[in-house]
Amino acid sequence: MTVRPTWDDYYLGIADAVAARANCTRRKVGAVVVRNNSIVATGYNGAPPGEPGCLTDSACPRGKHYLPGNGAMICMCGNPWPCADSVLPGSSYDSGKGSCIAIHSEANALVRAGEKSRGAVLYCTDEPCDGCWRLIKGAGISRVRYYGGEWTAGVPENSMKVWTLLLGLDRSVRRWFSKGGNQTRSC
C-alpha cells in the first residue's frame, strides 16, 4: 500500500525539485509559496536575471577561493592556503570582498509571489537566514516550513528558531527529518 505524502512533505519535495535549478557553486536551496493548497510562486538561489551566475559563469567570489576539503592546502584558485583572496568562514554574505551575488530562494519566491504572499505558506529546503526572515515577515507569510522545523506568525513559541535557541539543536539534525518523521534528502 502506497502512502500519500502529507501536504508539507509534498510541497517540500517540490522545493527540492526547484532547488535543482539553483545557480550556486556551494549550495542549492529552493522555495515554494503556497496559498490555499495552490502554488503561487517558486524560487531558487542564484544571480539576478541577466547577470553572470555563480555556477554557470564562475562569478561567485566565495566559490573561487575556498579550501576544497581534499586534504591539500591549496585554494581552488591554485594559490597556497590560506589564500589572500579567500573569505573567512562565517564572514558577511552582504558586504565585503566575499559578498554573495545571489538572491536567496526565499527572496526570489517572494518577489514572484508579490501581494499573493500575504497569508501564504512558504516551504523551503533550508532554514531561512536572518535577512530572509525579515522579508518573510514583511511579505505577510503566515507560516514557514523547512526540513526539521517551522515558524508560525503570532506563535513564536512554536517556531524552530525558539527551539533551536532553547535546545541547541544542530542545523544538520534539524534538516534531516520531515514533520511526519520520514527521513528525507537534505541538499
Side-chain angles (χ1 to χ4, degrees):
M1 178 177 175
T2 304
V3 179
R4 292 175 66 188
T6 65
W7 284 113
D8 283 347
D9 289 339
Y10 172 72
Y11 289 120
L12 283 170
I14 292 171
D16 270 331
V18 171
R21 288 278 308 152
N23 192 359
C24 179
T25 57
R26 300 162 54 104
R27 229 170 165 183
K28 295 192 177 294
V29 183
V32 180
V33 177
V34 176
R35 190 170 183 180
N36 299 324
N37 269 346
S38 292
I39 295 173
V40 173
T42 63
Y44 52 86
N45 55 321
E51 293 190 19
C54 298
L55 186 62
T56 54
D57 302 305
S58 301
C60 178
R62 289 177 178 262
K64 292 178 186 175
H65 303 283
Y66 67 95
L67 195 59
N70 60 7
M73 295 302 285
I74 304 293
C75 179
M76 285 302 292
C77 70
N79 289 331
W81 190 262
C83 175
D85 294 320
S86 67
V87 180
L88 295 174
S91 62
S92 174
Y93 272 75
D94 296 322
S95 62
K97 66 180 179 181
S99 61
C100 183
I101 63 171
I103 298 172
H104 289 187
S105 64
E106 302 91 333
N108 267 326
L110 292 172
V111 164
R112 286 171 176 75
E115 284 295 317
K116 293 178 183 174
S117 63
R118 292 227 173 269
V121 178
L122 177 69
Y123 292 89
C124 41
T125 59
D126 201 356
E127 180 181 3
C129 70
D130 290 339
C132 285
W133 279 115
R134 288 189 296 275
L135 293 173
I136 289 164
K137 290 175 183 179
I141 292 290
S142 65
R143 181 172 165 253
V144 178
R145 184 76 175 90
Y146 51 94
Y147 285 120
E150 67 181 290
W151 168 86
T152 305
V155 192
E157 62 273 12
N158 289 341
S159 91
M160 188 54 143
K161 277 283 213 206
V162 173
W163 297 343
T164 302
L165 294 173
L166 294 175
L167 302 176
L169 296 175
D170 177 77
R171 181 182 206 110
S172 61
V173 172
R174 294 193 317 260
R175 291 183 63 218
W176 191 247
F177 291 95
S178 70
K179 186 171 184 170
N182 303 321
Q183 195 169 0
T184 58
R185 183 177 65 80
S186 178
C187 58

